[in-house]
Amino acid sequence: MKTSPESPNGHPHGGHGQIGLFGLMVGAIGVVFGDIGTSPLYTIREAFSENYGLIADHDTVLGLLSLVFWALMMVVTVKYVTIIMRADNEGEGGIMALMALAQRSLPKNSRSAYLVGILGVFGASLFFGDGVITPAISVLSAVEGLEIVAPQLHKWIVPITLAVLISLFATQRFGTAKVGKVFGPITGLWFIVLAVLGVVNILHEPEVLHAINPVWAVNFFIEHRWHGIFILGAVVLAVTGGEAIYTDMGHFGAKPIRYAWYFFVLPALMLNYLGQGALVLENPAAIKNPFYIGVPEWGRIPMIVLATAATVIASQAVITGGFSVARQAMQLGYIPRMRIVHTSHDTIGQIYIPSINWMMLLIVIVLVVTFQSSSALATAYGVSVSATMLIDTLLLAIVANALWPKARRWVVPLCAVFLIADTAFVVANGAKVMQGGWFPVVLGITLFTLLRTWRRGRELLHAEIRKEGIQLASFLPGLMLAPPVRVPGTAVFLTADKTVVPHALMHNLKHNKVLHERNVFLTVDTLNVPYAPKDKRLKIESIGNDFYRVVIQFGFMETPDVPLALMRSCDKGGIHFDPMDTTYFASRETIVASPHRGMPVWRDKLFALMHRNAAPATGFFRIPGNRLVELGSQVQI
């Protein structure tokens, strides 16, 4: 794990040559920058909507463009791409990774570490809440270009949008590597077209280039006074996707993402924003839809097709980011175990989680059907992501202060600047809560409740189990003083704690009153390499009286097949596993809600429901049902 920005970013892609780097840049352009890359479709249009009451005069246009430019520079370029992406957790990014780094810099089990955990989980929940809006608003805004060409096609916008989105989510099982190879060139073409359109329009009104001067942004606030801050609710649309860039870091690595942003994506975006501003200066009526009106009539149909493809890719960035955050949440114990499909032989970050994929699709469909247009969705967009950006800044300040001794002298003061900007974005977007912004907030709070309930419920469950637990070192000698009847065969007891007697063994002795000839306490570990070396696959330790402690290690690309791994042990360590003579024992707890324990009864019942529906470890490890004995017990929490 990297904890200092002075050192190179440690990531699996570090060994790629120039061809590998270029290929990763193309893939990153196709997957990582789709969200932020389609913001030109609606950002300037929404800024001049009647919600903000702006007039498209010279000073207002240049002031708005200056705000967009400096938001992209400070929030995305400096904060996310340059600084936060250096805070990686074994190559992974995102708010959960940042939270883990921040917690490790604080005293364990302290109140400050607890509060950081709350912040991180709430930020991740908000990321999901706002993230699901991206596919809906992006594809809708692209398909709405049909109205510019043929107004009578308005009734087909929602059906076409739904068809596109369903197709996108259905292709996720092929993996981000394969999707990136297809999407990369398309998105590359998209950014080239953005830049070309921008240059063509800028040539008509070169005056807009002055917007790079921050004085225009300052003058905007001076002229519009207190009302000026609310326009940040539209400006934030230009930077939505910054958090997704950081979250998707594990899919391609920091270096390819940085290079693609600095030298390709950022210039194309700014040229297009400046071009739209030039068009509005030349023709104020173009504020109706400056993106499509800025396209020559002969190119509008092809542009709609390209924009739709680009917005599909924008959705891809959110989906892959959702997979990354979900996996990190699983590793940190905030959500139940789900089936994870690794889609790349080279990169641990490229994954597909079916349950997350279909859940996001369902929410996106509800959004499209409910809001019907991108303008309606724009009022809901940005509310949660601005709060997430604020939380990122707070966590970054903690990490920089504790773990970056050389860089904190300049990073921490920058965090103060970011804090002011992020707070302004939160205030500006707070005005949109009653206009539709309530949706991502409610969804975020719901997800936060689920995540915290699962985490707290697991803590209470383990605490109750430990109360009844017996240390293995003291248990075995006592058992052998009056050994029970031993029966032929091998018993394998699954356990996550190598030092405590498995619950399943205690229940077997209590109810069946027998002990097998050979007894194995099995723990399964997953490595951060694609395939576990053969010499490290299996570790067997004899602890006396035909009891063994076994650890099996799998790589992240492998299907954890426990029976096959044991069968191939070939008498290693003095024990032979005959599949027809081996029985697997696992414990499965039934949660009973109690009004006098750690959580309110409704949360106890919610945890019990989640626990009941979590994927069992036995199925994940491919243990055959006809060789498995599950011994259940009731646990009050």
Side-chain angles (χ1 to χ4, degrees):
M1 178 197 313
K2 309 308 292 181
T3 57
S4 172
E6 292 86 3
S7 57
N9 189 287
H11 193 269
H13 300 306
H16 285 279
Q18 291 302 312
I19 295 177
L21 176 61
F22 179 77
L24 289 169
M25 287 174 62
V26 172
I29 289 169
V31 174
V32 177
F33 297 109
D35 185 0
I36 199 167
T38 52
S39 295
L41 280 166
Y42 45 79
T43 299
I44 302 298
R45 182 194 71 192
E46 290 307 316
F48 285 104
S49 69
E50 49 186 41
N51 292 327
Y52 302 103
L54 296 183
I55 299 173
D57 57 29
H58 176 274
D59 288 4
T60 300
V61 171
L62 264 63
L64 176 65
L65 291 175
S66 187
L67 286 172
V68 169
F69 174 77
W70 287 104
L72 284 170
M73 291 302 297
M74 292 303 298
V75 175
V76 183
T77 305
V78 178
K79 176 181 167 182
Y80 280 104
V81 177
T82 303
I83 299 177
I84 291 189
M85 283 183 63
R86 296 177 182 270
D88 68 277
N89 187 353
E90 299 294 342
E92 290 287 344
I95 194 169
M96 299 295 284
L98 195 60
M99 178 195 73
L101 286 177
Q103 283 185 316
R104 289 171 193 172
S105 68
L106 300 169
K108 191 174 182 181
N109 297 324
S110 65
R111 183 170 182 80
S112 55
Y114 172 77
L115 292 176
V116 164
I118 293 291
L119 270 180
V121 174
F122 188 57
S125 302
L126 291 175
F127 172 78
F128 273 110
D130 224 28
V132 291
I133 298 179
T134 295
I137 191 173
S138 299
V139 178
L140 266 173
S141 62
V143 178
E144 283 171 350
L146 290 171
E147 288 185 302
I148 303 296
V149 178
Q152 66 271 20
L153 294 177
H154 173 80
K155 64 180 180 180
W156 290 101
I157 289 175
V158 170
I160 292 173
T161 299
L162 291 175
V164 169
L165 289 169
I166 291 171
S167 299
L168 170 67
F169 280 91
T171 61
Q172 292 305 305
R173 67 182 185 276
F174 299 115
T176 54
K178 297 181 179 66
V179 171
K181 289 177 182 177
V182 176
F183 284 171
I186 296 174
T187 313
L189 176 62
W190 167 255
F191 284 116
I192 291 171
V193 171
L194 287 183
V196 170
L197 287 173
V199 170
V200 169
N201 287 311
I202 289 171
L203 291 176
H204 291 279
E205 290 286 344
E207 173 72 11
V208 293
L209 294 174
H210 292 145
I212 294 175
N213 188 337
V215 170
W216 287 103
V218 175
N219 287 338
F220 181 91
F221 286 115
I222 293 174
E223 181 180 348
H224 292 85
R225 299 179 184 176
W226 64 270
H227 181 71
I229 193 172
F230 293 108
I231 195 61
L232 294 178
V235 173
V236 75
L237 299 176
V239 298
T240 51
E243 165 69 18
I245 293 173
Y246 177 45
T247 303
D248 283 334
M249 183 173 67
H251 294 258
F252 297 96
K255 191 175 182 180
I257 292 174
R258 284 199 183 103
Y259 280 21
W261 173 257
Y262 293 147
F263 304 114
F264 188 66
V265 177
L266 176 61
L269 286 175
M270 272 319 304
L271 284 172
N272 192 264
Y273 282 125
L274 291 171
Q276 290 188 48
L279 178 66
V280 172
L281 283 181
E282 184 181 25
N283 176 21
I287 60 172
K288 178 183 177 183
N289 198 325
F291 181 83
Y292 279 113
I293 293 176
V295 179
E297 288 189 20
W298 58 265
R300 285 177 184 168
I301 293 294
M303 194 64 191
I304 291 170
V305 175
L306 179 60
T308 301
T311 53
V312 165
I313 297 161
S315 307
Q316 180 69 51
V318 172
I319 297 168
T320 53
F323 294 160
S324 296
V325 172
R327 187 169 76 97
Q328 292 168 14
M330 276 186 242
Q331 292 172 337
L332 294 171
Y334 284 102
I335 59 176
R337 184 195 300 270
M338 301 178 189
R339 187 169 74 92
I340 299 177
V341 179
H342 294 276
T343 59
S344 171
H345 291 263
D346 302 315
T347 311
I348 192 171
Q350 295 186 12
I351 58 174
Y352 165 63
I353 306 179
S355 53
I356 296 293
N357 186 63
W358 302 123
M359 180 191 73
M360 291 180 73
L361 174 60
L362 178 62
I363 296 172
V364 168
I365 289 175
V366 170
L367 280 169
V368 172
V369 172
T370 302
F371 285 87
Q372 296 283 314
S373 73
S374 61
S375 290
L377 275 169
T379 60
Y381 205 27
V383 175
S384 296
V385 79
S386 57
T388 304
M389 292 192 300
L390 177 62
I391 293 171
D392 281 339
T393 297
L394 296 172
L395 296 178
L396 173 64
I398 295 172
V399 170
N401 186 62
L403 304 178
W404 297 350
K406 294 181 180 179
R408 66 186 173 198
R409 289 172 294 182
W410 58 273
V411 173
V412 173
L414 273 177
C415 285
V417 177
F418 299 150
L419 190 65
I420 294 171
D422 292 335
T423 302
F425 280 125
V426 170
V427 171
N429 283 283
K432 301 195 293 185
V433 169
M434 300 308 296
Q435 298 172 303
W438 58 267
F439 179 85
V441 173
V442 169
L443 181 58
I445 292 173
T446 301
L447 292 173
F448 174 77
T449 302
L450 291 173
L451 267 61
R452 284 300 306 170
T453 298
W454 179 258
R455 174 69 173 236
R456 179 61 178 154
R458 292 291 295 172
E459 291 173 353
L460 294 172
L461 175 61
H462 290 154
E464 290 297 323
I465 291 175
R466 277 194 297 270
K467 285 181 183 178
E468 302 176 5
I470 302 174
Q471 289 297 310
L472 195 59
S474 59
F475 171 76
L476 289 182
L479 180 66
M480 289 301 103
L481 291 176
V485 176
R486 304 193 81 145
V487 297
T490 301
V492 178
F493 298 93
L494 275 69
T495 177
D497 192 332
K498 303 179 182 69
T499 63
V500 176
V501 180
H503 244 199
L505 173 61
M506 298 298 295
H507 284 293
N508 188 43
L509 288 171
K510 178 180 179 181
H511 298 290
N512 297 328
K513 297 179 175 56
V514 296
L515 198 64
H516 283 71
E517 285 181 322
R518 293 171 299 279
N519 297 275
V520 175
F521 304 131
L522 174 66
T523 301
V524 179
D525 289 335
T526 301
L527 304 178
N528 63 348
V529 295
Y531 299 97
K534 289 184 178 180
D535 59 337
K536 295 183 179 180
R537 169 74 72 200
L538 195 70
K539 296 179 182 178
I540 299 180
E541 175 190 358
S542 175
I543 51 180
N545 297 298
D546 284 319
F547 282 87
Y548 301 86
R549 183 182 288 117
V550 176
V551 177
I552 303 178
Q553 295 181 323
F554 292 101
F556 69 83
M557 274 297 298
E558 298 178 275
T559 300
D561 193 326
V562 166
L564 182 61
L566 292 176
M567 188 173 63
R568 288 179 176 175
S569 63
C570 298
D571 297 328
K572 182 178 179 180
I575 184 171
H576 173 70
F577 292 95
D578 181 352
M580 300 306 296
D581 199 33
T582 301
T583 304
Y584 297 87
F585 290 85
S587 59
R588 191 163 180 85
E589 298 82 13
T590 300
I591 308 302
V592 178
S594 170
H596 308 297
R597 302 286 175 129
M599 292 191 297
V601 173
W602 69 268
R603 289 186 68 191
D604 286 341
K605 292 181 178 179
L606 177 60
F607 173 71
L609 177 66
M610 296 170 71
H611 188 271
R612 192 160 55 245
N613 289 280
T618 51
F620 186 76
F621 297 140
R622 305 192 72 174
I623 295 173
N626 60 354
R627 308 300 305 173
L628 172 67
V629 176
E630 281 194 317
L631 299 172
S633 62
Q634 286 190 344
V635 180
Q636 280 194 343
I637 62 170

